Amino acid sequence: MIHKNVNVKFDRPSKKTHLRDIVWVVVTLKAFKHFFKLTGYYLVNYVVGRYKATVGKNNKIHPTVIFRQGERIFIGEGCLLNHNNILQAGKGVGRIVIGNYVQTGPNVMMFAFNHNTENNGVPMILQDYTDGDIVIEDDVWIGAGSIITAGVTIGKGSVIGAGSVVTKDVPPYSFYAGTPAKLIKQR
């Protein structure tokens, strides 16, 4: 049954109920299993990815930035990558190349791959991927919550407005914003 816009009264659990639930979960084996999965996820995404990435000097990279396929991520010097950024290089060859003095707002995502959708007889999750380099040239500012897709180059000195989805190349010294991102004005 699908419920649409049903008014309900929500009685918030007490602190005592929360504490009881926490104690119960901690003493079960599920808690240990979850802890080890979470530790593995942390190590793969935050530690190994950052270790494999090529990162220049004098960068400020927030500890919550995720690097996936870090061996194909290259970051110049003097960059600021804000909290909760996700840098996902391609599955095989797609790279993320970030120039010097690039800054990102929080929650920026870059994906140098995409799922194929060409074969209707095969579920999309089982199809291969398409990789494409993401190149962000020097002195670029990418606003909070923006998404940069595979195969995109953002030209030197450009600004991407918050919440934008960049699906095509951005020429140098341009302001782009929107979904999909479009030219607002030249710098």
Side-chain angles (χ1 to χ4, degrees), residues 160-182:
I160 306 300
S164 297
V165 178
V166 183
T167 60
K168 295 187 172 146
D169 289 351
V170 173
Y173 301 103
S174 302
F175 281 93
Y176 267 64
T179 304
K182 294 182 179 164

Side-chain angles (χ1 to χ4, degrees), residues 16 42 44 75 98 158 182:
K16 183 178 177 181
Y42 174 81
V44 166
I75 300 171
I98 298 175
S158 292
K182 294 182 179 164

Side-chain angles (χ1 to χ4, degrees), residues 12-168:
R12 297 195 185 281
S14 68
K15 289 181 182 178
K16 183 178 177 181
T17 301
H18 280 304
L19 182 60
R20 184 195 70 220
D21 291 345
I22 290 168
V23 169
W24 173 248
V25 167
V26 168
V27 298
T28 66
L29 289 176
K30 284 184 179 182
F32 290 106
K33 183 178 175 183
H34 181 72
F35 173 77
F36 286 114
K37 280 185 177 181
L38 192 59
T39 301
Y41 178 85
Y42 174 81
L43 291 172
V44 166
N45 291 291
Y46 296 97
V47 178
V48 173
R50 189 174 300 234
Y51 174 77
K52 288 183 175 183
T54 302
V55 180
K57 297 177 182 177
N58 301 317
N59 290 305
K60 294 178 183 175
I61 299 175
H62 196 274
T64 60
V65 173
I66 293 176
F67 291 90
R68 300 293 307 263
Q69 282 75 42
E71 63 276 8
R72 290 186 294 283
I73 297 173
F74 305 89
I75 300 171
E77 296 183 1
C79 296
L80 167 64
L81 301 181
N82 222 311
H83 63 275
N84 299 328
N85 281 208
I86 299 173
L87 281 68
Q88 171 83 55
K91 299 294 186 176
V93 296
R95 302 172 304 146
I96 297 176
V97 180
I98 298 175
N100 299 320
Y101 303 104
V102 171
Q103 61 181 334
T104 65
N107 304 311
V108 168
M109 295 184 278
M110 301 177 199
F111 300 103
F113 74 97
N114 206 341
H115 297 273
N116 281 338
T117 59
E118 297 163 356
N119 188 342
N120 288 339
V122 176
M124 288 179 277
I125 197 168
L126 299 177
Q127 294 187 37
D128 290 332
Y129 298 93
T130 303
D131 280 8
D133 290 349
I134 294 174
V135 178
I136 300 171
E137 296 179 352
D138 296 345
D139 188 30
V140 169
W141 177 16
I142 302 173
S146 294
I147 300 171
I148 315 301
T149 61
V152 167
T153 295
I154 300 177
K156 180 177 182 174
S158 292
V159 177
I160 306 300
S164 297
V165 178
V166 183
T167 60
K168 295 187 172 146

